[in-house]
């Protein structure tokens, strides 16, 4: 357990957290190690400071969100994401994890992803956006707002409808 702690301390990651948890649970020491591990992850997020280039890891709570999703605690993951932000792919996983209990709350996450996919302007991205639209429709229904989906789709169509430039004959 001590060696696994040292690995997590050197380079906090979801994998190092999972391994520490697995071994510390065996001897019953996980509650204390968990507290230290979460503190270490929070310290790492603070230490990184503002992002200065695109190769630097973002100074956000992505790792904490991943940890709480791994622990099957989407509410705590949501709280961390609200407090510190998280990357797009993890944010979508978080939305999927909360969709059964907080359907309407996660719709904006899907909407952001749909918009970014449409902006790619490629067939594969359009196909993924359409698939996500189906999930958004189900979220509206699950949240008791089935009528909200039609206006949302109309707004998406309006924003992305090709604009025709009138021809001026000279």
């Amino acid at each position: 357990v001590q060696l696994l702690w040292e690995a997590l301390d050197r380079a906090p990651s979801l994998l190092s957290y999972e391994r520490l948890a697995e071994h510390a649970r065996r001897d019953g020491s996980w509650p204390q190690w968990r507290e230290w591990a979460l503190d270490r992850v929070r310290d790492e997020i603070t230490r990184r400071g503002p992002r200065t280039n695109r190769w630097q890891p973002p100074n956000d709570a992505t790792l904490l969100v991943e940890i709480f999703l791994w622990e099957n605690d989407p509410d705590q993951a949501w709280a961390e994401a609200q407090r510190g932000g998280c990357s797009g792919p993890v944010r979508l996983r978080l939305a999927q994890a909360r969709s059964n209990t907080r359907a309407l709350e996660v719709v904006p996450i899907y909407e952001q992803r749909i918009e970014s996919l449409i902006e790619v302007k490629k067939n594969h991205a359009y196909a993924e956006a359409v698939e996500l639209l189906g999930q958004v429709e189900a979220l509206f229904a699950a949240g008791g707002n089935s009528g909200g989906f039609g206006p949302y789709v109309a707004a998406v169509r309006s924003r992305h409808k090709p604009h025709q430039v009138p021809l001026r004959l000279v």
Side-chain angles (χ1 to χ4, degrees), residues 36-115:
W36 291 338
L38 291 173
D39 286 345
R40 177 62 185 97
V41 169
R42 286 185 174 100
D43 288 346
E44 180 67 17
I45 291 167
T46 301
R47 183 195 64 77
R48 284 185 191 153
R51 189 174 191 168
T52 57
N53 63 55
R54 68 180 190 179
W55 295 281
Q56 178 183 352
N59 182 20
D60 64 21
T62 296
L63 180 53
L64 280 172
V65 173
E66 287 179 313
I67 286 169
F68 289 117
L69 286 174
W70 178 76
E71 289 183 342
N72 199 28
D73 188 351
D75 292 333
Q76 185 61 42
W78 183 264
E80 295 295 343
Q82 296 304 314
R83 207 173 2 264
C86 68
S87 70
V90 174
R91 188 175 24 242
L92 196 56
R93 283 186 28 228
L94 175 58
Q96 291 165 343
R98 286 179 58 96
S99 64
N100 291 334
T101 59
R102 308 276 188 190
L104 294 178
E105 193 174 82
V106 300
V107 165
I109 294 172
Y110 284 89
E111 290 173 346
Q112 289 172 345
R113 179 66 180 149
I114 288 166
E115 289 295 322

Side-chain angles (χ1 to χ4, degrees), residues 1-2 8 24 41 45 51-52 58 70 81 83 93 103 105 110 116 126 130-132 137 139-140 143 151 155 163:
V1 171
Q2 183 62 40
L8 183 136
V41 169
I45 291 167
R51 189 174 191 168
T52 57
W70 178 76
R83 207 173 2 264
R93 283 186 28 228
E105 193 174 82
Y110 284 89
S116 67
Y126 292 138
V130 168
E131 183 179 318
L132 289 178
E137 182 177 24
L139 290 170
F140 272 104
H163 299 287

Side-chain angles (χ1 to χ4, degrees), residues 1-12:
V1 171
Q2 183 62 40
L3 289 173
L4 292 167
W5 164 254
E6 290 170 13
L8 183 136
D9 189 41
R10 266 192 316 279

